[in-house]
């Protein structure tokens, strides 16, 4: 009789311990079981179930978190679907490297304006950004981490046509 009571206590303890595990669901369909330590501006810090070390995952990779203790569901980010070059406006420029944690690196992309153009500094910058986003969208990537942002100025820097904007980045997908 004592063995049955001990066995039942052990089974129930294990059941309740597992019920308090947080579940992180990623946009690529993967789930992570563990304990969410904190949700920060660009990422989520968690511990895998049964481990003590902190791990980090960028918010853009995470769809939702289901907290084990309360059952509360916290939606983190909407999935961004980019399937053709026409979806370039959906592409997000990541400002912090931490935001790309958990995303899959695809390839480097670049956008630039022509050396001789009729853009002012601000419109040239926007044109280079558009081309960068279009390159990412062409390969189905909803994210670009900007690695280089340059403006070269020619001899006629105060007139239209004297500058070139170049943006380089790394394209990421889920």
């Amino acid at each position: 009789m004592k063995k049955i009571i001990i066995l039942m206590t052990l089974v129930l303890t294990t059941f309740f311990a597992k019920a308090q595990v947080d579940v992180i669901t990623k946009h690529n369909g993967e789930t992570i079981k563990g304990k969410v330590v904190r949700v920060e501006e660009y990422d989520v810090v968690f511990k895998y179930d049964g481990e003590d070390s902190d791990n980090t995952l960028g918010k853009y990779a995470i769809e939702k978190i289901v907290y084990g203790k309360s059952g509360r569901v916290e939606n983190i980010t909407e999935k961004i679907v980019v399937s053709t070059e026409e979806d370039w406006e959906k592409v997000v420029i990541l400002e912090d490297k931490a935001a790309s944690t958990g995303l899959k690196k695809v390839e480097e992309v670049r956008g630039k304006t022509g050396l001789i153009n009729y853009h002012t500094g601000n419109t040239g910058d926007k044109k280079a950004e558009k081309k960068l986003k279009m390159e990412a969208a062409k390969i189905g990537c909803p994210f670009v981490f900007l690695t280089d942002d340059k403006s070269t100025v020619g001899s006629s820097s105060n007139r239209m046509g004297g500058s070139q904007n170049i943006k380089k980045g790394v394209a990421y997908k889920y």
Side-chain angles (χ1 to χ4, degrees):
M1 188 66 165
K2 282 184 180 181
K3 289 181 183 181
I4 293 174
I5 292 172
I6 292 172
L7 182 63
M8 289 300 287
T9 304
L10 184 62
V11 168
L12 288 174
T13 304
T14 304
F15 174 75
F16 286 116
K18 291 290 182 191
Q20 294 185 4
V21 172
D22 301 330
V23 179
I24 300 170
T25 304
K26 295 171 59 176
H27 285 294
N28 66 4
E30 292 178 32
T31 58
I32 298 171
K33 294 182 179 182
K35 176 71 179 146
V36 174
V37 177
R38 64 186 171 277
V39 178
E40 296 180 339
E41 185 176 0
Y42 296 110
D43 51 30
V44 174
V45 179
F46 68 97
K47 294 180 182 189
Y48 282 102
D49 192 23
E51 295 182 10
D52 292 329
S53 63
D54 286 349
N55 297 278
T56 304
L57 197 56
K59 280 186 169 181
Y60 284 113
I62 302 172
E63 176 188 349
K64 66 182 176 180
I65 299 170
V66 179
Y67 295 97
K69 280 186 179 180
S70 65
R72 180 173 67 92
V73 177
E74 182 177 4
N75 293 315
I76 303 298
T77 59
E78 293 281 328
K79 185 171 187 173
I80 301 169
V81 179
V82 175
S83 51
T84 66
E85 189 175 349
E86 285 77 39
D87 293 331
W88 70 268
E89 291 180 273
K90 296 178 184 178
V91 175
V92 175
I93 303 289
L94 302 176
E95 297 178 13
D96 191 297
K97 180 73 172 148
S100 68
T101 308
L103 298 172
K104 182 181 174 189
K105 181 179 177 179
V106 178
E107 66 182 61
E108 289 190 14
V109 290
R110 122 183 161 152
K112 68 176 188 163
T113 57
L115 187 58
I116 297 175
N117 63 67
Y118 297 100
H119 295 288
T120 61
N122 191 33
T123 59
D125 191 56
K126 289 187 184 299
K127 183 79 170 178
E129 183 175 304
K130 178 181 176 181
K131 287 184 175 184
L132 180 76
K133 287 182 172 186
M134 289 176 85
E135 285 297 311
K138 197 183 299 183
I139 56 174
C141 294
F143 305 102
V144 175
F145 174 65
L146 201 59
T147 57
D148 195 14
D149 187 1
K150 288 194 264 192
S151 292
T152 57
V153 181
S155 60
S156 57
S157 62
N158 292 333
R159 288 182 247 134
M160 291 175 128
S163 66
Q164 181 180 33
N165 297 87
I166 303 169
K167 293 184 182 284
K168 294 179 185 177
V170 178
Y172 288 89
K173 62 171 56 173
Y174 298 110

